[in-house]
Amino acid sequence: FVSRMELRKAPLTETVSLTDASFDMEPMRAAPASTIGEREILLLPNPSRDALDFLRLSPWLSQDGAGGTWSALGLPGSFVGLAVDGGDNQSPVSSQPVARRIPARGGYQFSDFTIQELQVTAGAAPAEFGHAASAFTGLITRSGSNVFTGQLFERYRDSALSGATPVDEQLGRQHTPLHANQFGATFGGPLAVNRSAFFAAYDGLRE
């Protein structure tokens, strides 16, 4: 008995398909930027509780003590723009941020617990904002969610709990009397689940 087996090459089918890759891409910024997120805002100490004091973390800004603003690239604070939730926060009279803290008046517009993110872009402001020639700052405020949340805080300072400064000791005088109570709260939650929410904050200073 003779059996003959014949092996043949099987046909080889190969298909090459070229498809466009779809992915999200953010165009490269023309100017350097730094972002101060919610983690830094909630965890880093901020004795003044002024949200704009976190701008110290940006390498592009330095405090302009004359007007309570921030200067950048060697230009005064009036050349630094500020937008809050995408809206212009510049004074139409002085072109300075409305939210700045003026030392002579005290107080501030945004507490650190009321903001979610700060972003600083060095250079001229984007075309949709303007008003800035040295740096542009964008501030995003916090909002409510589907869960009721809140915070309470109080900071108490008294001359009985502090000592004299080196200047007071050198001049042989007692330290300046001080009594300050800084307090406040935040509260937010849903008005209609998955539809609308609210967020409110209050800061008080008795000095």
Side-chain angles (χ1 to χ4, degrees):
F1 178 77
V2 178
S3 175
R4 183 178 178 182
M5 300 179 62
E6 184 177 353
L7 299 178
R8 297 180 179 179
K9 293 188 296 182
L12 178 61
T13 303
E14 182 177 356
T15 303
V16 178
S17 300
L18 299 178
T19 58
D20 294 334
S22 60
F23 56 90
D24 297 331
M25 181 180 68
E26 181 182 0
M28 184 179 297
R29 298 181 181 273
S34 60
T35 301
I36 303 164
E38 189 175 10
R39 178 179 176 84
E40 291 88 348
I41 294 171
L42 293 179
L43 297 181
L44 292 177
N46 183 19
S48 69
R49 297 200 57 82
D50 183 2
L52 295 184
D53 277 352
F54 283 106
L55 296 177
R56 300 176 189 270
L57 300 176
S58 173
W60 321 114
L61 299 180
S62 59
Q63 191 150 21
D64 184 359
T69 57
W70 298 86
S71 61
L73 306 180
L75 297 175
S78 58
F79 288 87
V80 177
L82 175 65
V84 178
D85 291 332
D88 190 8
N89 195 255
Q90 302 291 111
S91 169
V93 178
S94 62
S95 294
Q96 293 184 345
V98 178
R100 74 188 192 281
R101 184 173 76 246
I102 302 176
R105 300 179 186 176
Y108 44 83
Q109 186 175 2
F110 295 100
S111 170
D112 51 4
F113 282 176
T114 64
I115 65 172
Q116 183 173 342
E117 182 180 288
L118 280 167
Q119 187 176 79
V120 181
T121 303
E128 63 265 29
F129 296 108
H131 294 290
S134 59
F136 177 76
T137 304
L139 184 149
I140 300 176
T141 59
R142 294 180 61 187
S143 60
S145 64
N146 285 333
V147 180
F148 288 102
T149 58
Q151 295 170 315
L152 294 172
F153 74 89
E154 181 175 2
R155 182 182 179 223
Y156 178 75
R157 293 179 295 165
D158 192 275
S159 55
L161 303 176
S162 61
T165 64
V167 176
D168 291 334
E169 293 178 352
Q170 185 176 3
L171 298 178
R173 65 187 183 188
Q174 296 182 349
H175 57 281
T176 305
L178 173 66
H179 180 81
N181 186 20
Q182 191 175 12
F183 57 94
T186 64
F187 184 68
L191 291 174
V193 177
N194 294 329
R195 296 186 61 184
S196 61
F198 74 95
F199 180 82
Y202 173 79
D203 277 43
L205 177 62
R206 305 291 182 266
E207 193 171 26

